[in-house]
Amino acid sequence: MTDFPALSFEDRRLDSLRRRIGWLCQTLRVALVAYCLWMLVTIAMFWSDEALIVSRFASLKVDVEGLSAAQRLAAFGLSFVIWSLLVAACYAGWRLFSGYLEGRIFTPDAAGWLRSLALTGLIAALVDIAARPIMSLILTAHKGAGAHMVAVYFRPEDLSTVMLLATLLALAHIQKTAADIADENAQIV
């Protein structure tokens, strides 16, 4: 008789799974946190530097010269809202990869977190695109009548981001359907 409990088949399978994907899940979880922090610092630094704001918007042909601290604060607030949506998407990613580490891969739970990640990411991307004209109005509010600029612009990465997130959303739906089918088959047997 030994003092060590025998490992069950499930425990060995979970250990094997963790050896194969553990490093990837942990790396992605750390990357999600780092990305959120990096974006917050980047946003705060950008909106605190008036010269950088003026030059960046000048490249978009939007004159924001002479903007006030209140306008910069309002613009930061709008950026912060979009950042908050990114945090929600990253939280869903954290939960997804945590579930993977616990062995919940092809489960309704995992599909739900993948769906949440894709939806909140997609919402963040679309809000970012929709906020651009609002941002230009905020930044040109100090200009005289008729000088307000509404800059509507799309970047090439907007389309690729939306397509990637839509693909993840479709994958989440497929994963959920597969998990439901597996549950039905398990109940039959």
Side-chain angles (χ1 to χ4, degrees):
M1 186 181 254
T2 70
D3 293 337
F4 300 105
L7 285 177
S8 72
F9 178 70
E10 280 298 313
D11 291 338
R12 287 193 302 263
R13 287 181 56 194
L14 188 55
D15 287 341
S16 174
L17 174 71
R18 283 190 185 120
R19 277 193 303 278
R20 287 183 279 172
I21 68 167
W23 67 272
L24 179 61
C25 292
Q26 293 290 14
T27 301
L28 289 170
R29 288 180 356 154
V30 169
L32 290 167
V33 172
Y35 177 70
C36 289
L37 294 174
W38 175 60
M39 287 305 299
L40 181 61
V41 168
T42 301
I43 291 166
M45 288 175 57
F46 176 76
W47 291 114
S48 66
D49 185 348
E50 185 176 351
L52 181 59
I53 297 166
V54 170
S55 73
R56 181 86 43 92
F57 279 87
S59 71
L60 299 170
K61 309 224 182 326
V62 177
D63 178 19
V64 298
E65 189 77 41
L67 68 144
S68 70
Q71 286 172 286
R72 289 193 345 243
L73 185 59
F76 172 80
L78 185 55
S79 294
F80 188 81
V81 168
I82 296 165
W83 177 81
S84 298
L85 292 168
L86 285 174
V87 169
C90 289
Y91 174 75
W94 178 276
R95 293 296 306 263
L96 174 67
F97 295 117
S98 295
Y100 287 171
L101 286 171
E102 294 169 1
R104 295 187 320 270
I105 295 179
F106 295 110
T107 64
D109 175 62
W113 285 115
L114 182 58
R115 181 177 185 271
S116 293
L117 184 155
L119 270 177
T120 53
L122 191 56
I123 290 167
L126 295 175
V127 168
D128 180 46
I129 293 167
R132 292 174 191 161
I134 297 167
M135 187 69 75
S136 68
L137 285 173
I138 290 170
L139 296 176
T140 59
H142 64 287
K143 299 292 182 179
H148 299 293
M149 299 287 297
V150 177
V152 178
Y153 60 94
F154 295 96
R155 298 180 298 218
E157 62 267 18
D158 291 336
L159 182 58
S160 62
T161 299
V162 168
M163 288 174 35
L164 174 65
L165 291 166
T167 300
L168 283 178
L169 190 58
L171 185 60
H173 180 70
I174 292 166
Q175 186 177 347
K176 172 78 166 85
T177 303
D180 290 343
I181 290 170
D183 283 346
E184 287 174 14
N185 287 341
Q187 290 174 5
I188 293 171
V189 175

